[in-house]
Amino acid sequence: MNHILVRFQVLDVTQRGSCRSIQTDLVMMVMMTVEHMFMVLVLFGFLIFAKSEVYIVTVEGDPVISYRGGIDGFEATAVESDEKLDVTSDSVTSYSQHLETRHDTLLEALFEDETYTKVYSYKHLINGFAVHMSPEQAETLRQAPGVKSVDRDWKVRKLTTHTPQFLGLPTGVWPTGGGFDRAGEDIVIGFVDSGIFPHHPSFQNTITEPYEPLPRYRGKCEIDPDTKRSFCNGKIVGAQHFAKAATVSGAFNPEIDFASPLDGDGHGSHTAAIAAGNNGIPVRVHGYEYGRASGMAPRARIAVYKALYRLFGGFVSDVVAAIEQAVHDGVDILNLSVGPNSPPATTRTTFLNPFDAVLLSAVKAGVFVAQAAGNGGPFAKTLVSYSPWIASVAAAVDDRRYKNHLTLGNGKILPGIGMSPATRVDQKYTLVAANDVLLDSSGKSTTADCQRPEVLNKNMVKGNILLCGYSFNFVIGTASMAKVAETAKALGAVGFVLAVENASPGTKFDPVPVGMPGILITDASKSTELIDYYNVSTSRDWTGRVKSFKAVGSIGNGLEPVLHKSAPMVALFSARGPNIKDYSFRDADLLKPDILAPGSLIWASWSPNGTDEANYIGEHFAMISGTSMAAPHIAGIAALVKQKHPRWSPAAIKSALMTTTSTLDRAERPILAQQYSGSETMTFVQATPFDYGSGHVNPRAALDPGLIFDAGYEDYIGFLCTTPGLDSHEIRNYTHLPCNYTLGHPYNLNSPSITVSHLVRTQTVTRTVTNVNEEETYKITARMSPAVAIETRPQAMTLKPGASCKFTVTLAVRSVTGTYSFGEVLLKGNRGHKVRIPVVAMGYDR
């Protein structure tokens, strides 16, 4: 047995690529027979390879996007702020090759061959590489001349229709771009996600209005290894996958995760369809149609950059490579329904790490970036999207609710959820509990959740309603409501009831479509009423065996949604501010999230291979929730703004979206936020900018905002240079620019919001607006919570088309309350434009 173990370790060392001298020594050791030598060998092999990880390294020298010349033989390749990168030019090609050669030379000079694996070279947005090596090698690299930073790779995770109508797109927005069949025309949205299911009707190239070639986009299309067909079809213009870091880390399984852009999860297909899926696609699940789905920009093109996978999420080095490639290929919009598992604590500030730095360079290249804010709500400081150059999107509950009910024989009506057809009208059916119809009574505790039809007596279930219990298995995903329906159907039941007798505080229950009458009773007190009625009505012998089932009931129709006016509402799971500037969780002078968009119970396409949601395995559509679903709403709407205003910068697009939002629901009341009460039951409170940023997106108004708050690459560098805790050397490591430009305070960044996290006495903040319409006169007013006084100057201003003008906002502490004060500045134009920005401040004595 010892000899077998040693041979395995030697093979492991050779396969992993250790240095030749170690291999030789190990072979000699195998020839020895001393027992302790075998143990040393096994331990040695474990120590070398268990510790090897992927590191992201940045080195001296400008990336392509910032290189202004100075090296003999290589012409300048830098672009100005918001300018597209021309990767087809000879100068870009040669300089890119020069950088990659330098990366290879550095590694070869420091380490022997086969003791490391270079995973990627980053050349266009940052200058560096990803490499798989031991911590000792990483430390050697960190001390090497010319190396700026070495960060251990960290993981990211997914931040996991009716909404076009809810947002007013068909009547208010699409007609301005030529109708739905032109909405988003020739705009390319890149998705860094779990891939795509290209055969879905949401992604098909239509026969009546086929897509023309798009020469300016330069992305690749991988070939499906099974079908030998391209993943691209005109609608999908690019499809690539990135898994090198996952592979060398041992996390990637090609049989499960697919070594191609194919979506093995469902998440990527869902987000792509929300932003850019074709219009009017019937949503059919279990034989029922739940309406017709459409993306926000149904004529936009889709570029797929798969970097997320079923079992482990993804690695930042793979995601950074995907973003680099997307910008290289020429995407206009980038959707990131992904965020870090935790803040990358290897850097001092949330704003400066390889992930955020590469996004800053993407924005410099003119790419608008939408990122999911995170799903850690409703708790404070749970955001995973921090930087001002990113549009961080919170999730809203829209106006659609699916409800159902169970009517008992005693006349009681129990509310629940279940997107199912009703049992036959005016007929009651006998209720039979799973525990009472077991073929073998030995496994009662494991069969009440109705996941295994083979252990239940079909003769006793057939023609009745099967009563099941909601177990912990549903929470961890090993049981599903879809499987309950399968069990009930296999046994010949007319329907089923799933009763929640107890649940962890804050457990969230979503309606699930099922192909037969079925309902989930989510209220434990109502489940108790059901169980009490069942027990009273069911007669048993002295052993507890049922003699006769007398409890009866009927299940209502849950297929039709009910529309509520208390919408939008901030979803319970949506991450909350305040934003943080470092990993001590100190508050930042920057508001996050930026904006609110639909993200709860969103219908969109799904991959039948997808395993992300147990209730939708094998389906082509799914209804799921998350800020992952909110971000592509903003990405798609940004595509519509980009289509109408092709020369606008990413900051201008973000400003148009933010300044035209609404903080009122459909009933004209302040937007509410789902929150926990003291008993951890859900309640509703008035939302604040820490819940929704500037407010809920209004696509129609965003197309014509009147004024914009613009900002460029230098402005963001100025923001970094004035952020406490950062020194100029650290900033230059990531941005390749000196701190020659300062804003005085971070809150002076020209963003469409104002946040002063530490207000002492009086502070004056400056903003600059640019008129993007005809000449207009704006009156400026402001309001604030009583603890902070607010004043604006001037009180009015007139701007000609294209003109810019500054105004100031002065905040003064009236009383120190220990809590944030909220307010707004409103610029109201005489031509009807309304431009609103949120103001947030906390007063201190000193």
Side-chain angles (χ1 to χ4, degrees), residues 546-557:
V546 174
K547 293 195 296 183
S548 63
F549 296 98
K550 294 293 180 65
V552 296
S554 62
I555 298 170
N557 183 354

Side-chain angles (χ1 to χ4, degrees), residues 115-154:
T115 64
Y116 65 89
T117 301
K118 191 187 79 170
V119 182
Y120 296 107
S121 269
Y122 305 126
K123 303 159 291 188
H124 297 98
L125 305 184
I126 58 174
N127 179 17
F129 51 87
V131 60
H132 186 251
M133 56 171 46
S134 70
E136 292 78 13
Q137 289 174 307
E139 187 57 35
T140 299
L141 194 55
R142 190 174 281 112
Q143 303 302 322
V147 173
K148 291 186 168 184
S149 65
V150 178
D151 295 299
R152 183 165 57 87
D153 199 0
W154 65 101

Side-chain angles (χ1 to χ4, degrees), residues 120-302:
Y120 296 107
S121 269
Y122 305 126
K123 303 159 291 188
H124 297 98
L125 305 184
I126 58 174
N127 179 17
F129 51 87
V131 60
H132 186 251
M133 56 171 46
S134 70
E136 292 78 13
Q137 289 174 307
E139 187 57 35
T140 299
L141 194 55
R142 190 174 281 112
Q143 303 302 322
V147 173
K148 291 186 168 184
S149 65
V150 178
D151 295 299
R152 183 165 57 87
D153 199 0
W154 65 101
K155 283 188 176 181
V156 294
R157 65 181 185 274
K158 297 160 291 182
L159 301 170
T160 304
T161 164
H162 167 81
T163 48
Q165 287 73 28
F166 177 67
L167 295 172
L169 293 173
T171 57
V173 178
W174 290 345
T176 67
F180 71 84
D181 53 349
R182 290 290 178 268
E185 187 77 66
D186 292 341
I187 302 297
V188 181
I189 307 178
F191 297 88
V192 178
D193 215 298
S194 66
I196 198 162
F197 185 69
H199 314 298
H200 197 283
S202 290
F203 310 127
Q204 295 303 295
N205 192 343
T206 61
I207 298 174
T208 55
E209 292 285 344
Y211 288 92
E212 297 294 329
L214 199 62
R216 70 173 180 81
Y217 176 76
R218 298 168 294 274
K220 299 175 184 176
C221 291
E222 291 186 24
I223 303 299
D224 189 322
D226 295 326
T227 66
K228 308 304 180 186
R229 294 169 56 189
S230 171
F231 277 87
C232 297
N233 58 12
K235 173 71 171 178
I236 303 171
V237 291
Q240 302 170 64
H241 83 287
F242 300 81
K244 291 181 180 179
T247 301
V248 298
S249 299
F252 184 76
N253 183 337
E255 293 186 4
I256 296 175
D257 297 312
F258 301 125
S260 78
L262 183 64
D263 187 3
D265 181 282
H267 190 269
S269 300
H270 202 270
T271 56
I274 290 171
N278 289 330
N279 180 62
I281 306 301
V283 178
R284 292 194 181 97
V285 179
H286 299 304
Y288 297 94
E289 185 173 313
Y290 290 92
R292 291 179 178 264
S294 173
M296 301 296 101
R299 279 293 284 188
R301 311 294 182 100
I302 293 170

Side-chain angles (χ1 to χ4, degrees), residues 301-642:
R301 311 294 182 100
I302 293 170
V304 177
Y305 300 88
K306 178 179 173 181
L308 300 181
Y309 297 89
R310 291 188 192 186
L311 300 180
F312 58 88
F315 289 81
V316 167
S317 52
D318 286 329
V319 172
V320 168
I323 295 168
E324 268 242 330
Q325 190 64 51
V327 176
H328 169 279
D329 294 344
V331 302
D332 300 296
I333 312 289
L334 195 59
N335 181 78
L336 295 172
S337 291
V338 55
N341 287 354
S342 59
T346 52
T347 54
R348 296 185 187 181
T349 175
T350 49
F351 313 126
L352 208 55
N353 56 73
F355 181 71
D356 285 77
V358 78
L359 291 177
L360 174 57
S361 291
V363 169
K364 184 184 181 184
V367 178
F368 175 90
V369 180
Q371 185 185 16
N375 292 343
F379 307 108
K381 298 187 179 183
T382 48
L383 296 156
V384 296
S385 179
Y386 314 104
S387 297
W389 44 88
I390 301 167
S392 306
V393 189
V397 178
D398 67 17
D399 59 346
R400 182 186 54 202
R401 313 279 195 279
Y402 287 95
K403 297 182 178 181
N404 206 337
H405 62 274
L406 172 69
T407 303
L408 300 178
N410 60 6
K412 287 189 176 181
I413 299 175
L414 307 182
I417 55 176
M419 298 166 63
S420 78
T423 52
R424 188 174 297 176
V425 180
D426 298 328
Q427 185 170 343
K428 296 284 194 298
Y429 295 88
T430 301
L431 300 175
V432 294
N435 281 342
D436 287 329
V437 293
L438 292 174
L439 292 173
D440 179 1
S441 61
S442 63
K444 281 190 176 185
S445 62
T446 60
T447 55
D449 56 11
C450 299
Q451 301 295 292
R452 298 167 56 204
E454 67 274 11
V455 303
L456 302 178
N457 190 324
K458 184 173 183 177
N459 293 329
M460 299 179 74
V461 175
K462 188 175 181 180
N464 299 320
I465 294 176
L466 181 62
L467 178 57
C468 310
Y470 188 91
S471 68
F472 184 67
N473 293 332
F474 288 89
V475 179
I476 62 176
T478 57
S480 69
M481 195 164 172
K483 185 63 179 176
V484 175
E486 287 180 23
T487 297
K489 191 172 184 180
L491 297 172
V494 298
F496 67 88
V497 178
L498 189 57
V500 178
E501 295 182 69
N502 55 68
S504 300
T507 301
K508 183 174 178 289
F509 299 100
D510 286 340
V512 175
V514 289
M516 67 184 306
I519 186 171
L520 172 65
I521 307 296
T522 60
D523 187 328
S525 65
K526 300 300 180 184
S527 293
T528 299
E529 290 184 31
L530 166 63
I531 294 165
D532 288 346
Y533 165 68
Y534 176 81
N535 287 334
V536 167
S537 305
T538 303
S539 60
R540 305 174 185 272
D541 62 20
W542 66 274
T543 67
R545 187 184 300 274
V546 174
K547 293 195 296 183
S548 63
F549 296 98
K550 294 293 180 65
V552 296
S554 62
I555 298 170
N557 183 354
L559 295 174
E560 296 297 325
V562 178
L563 301 183
H564 284 243
K565 285 191 174 182
S566 59
M569 181 185 297
V570 181
L572 184 71
F573 58 80
S574 187
R576 309 299 211 262
N579 194 14
I580 58 172
K581 63 184 177 184
D582 57 32
Y583 304 110
S584 298
F585 284 79
R586 291 185 298 172
D587 295 2
D589 288 325
L590 178 72
L591 180 63
K592 291 286 176 173
D594 291 305
I595 197 166
L596 183 68
S600 179
L601 304 181
I602 304 299
W603 276 117
S605 72
W606 197 247
S607 172
N609 305 308
T611 58
D612 192 42
E613 292 286 339
N615 289 307
Y616 295 100
I617 293 175
E619 298 295 339
H620 283 77
F621 288 92
M623 185 178 68
I624 57 177
S625 303
T627 53
S628 279
M629 286 63 251
H633 279 89
I634 294 301
I637 296 166
L640 300 176
V641 178
K642 179 78 172 178

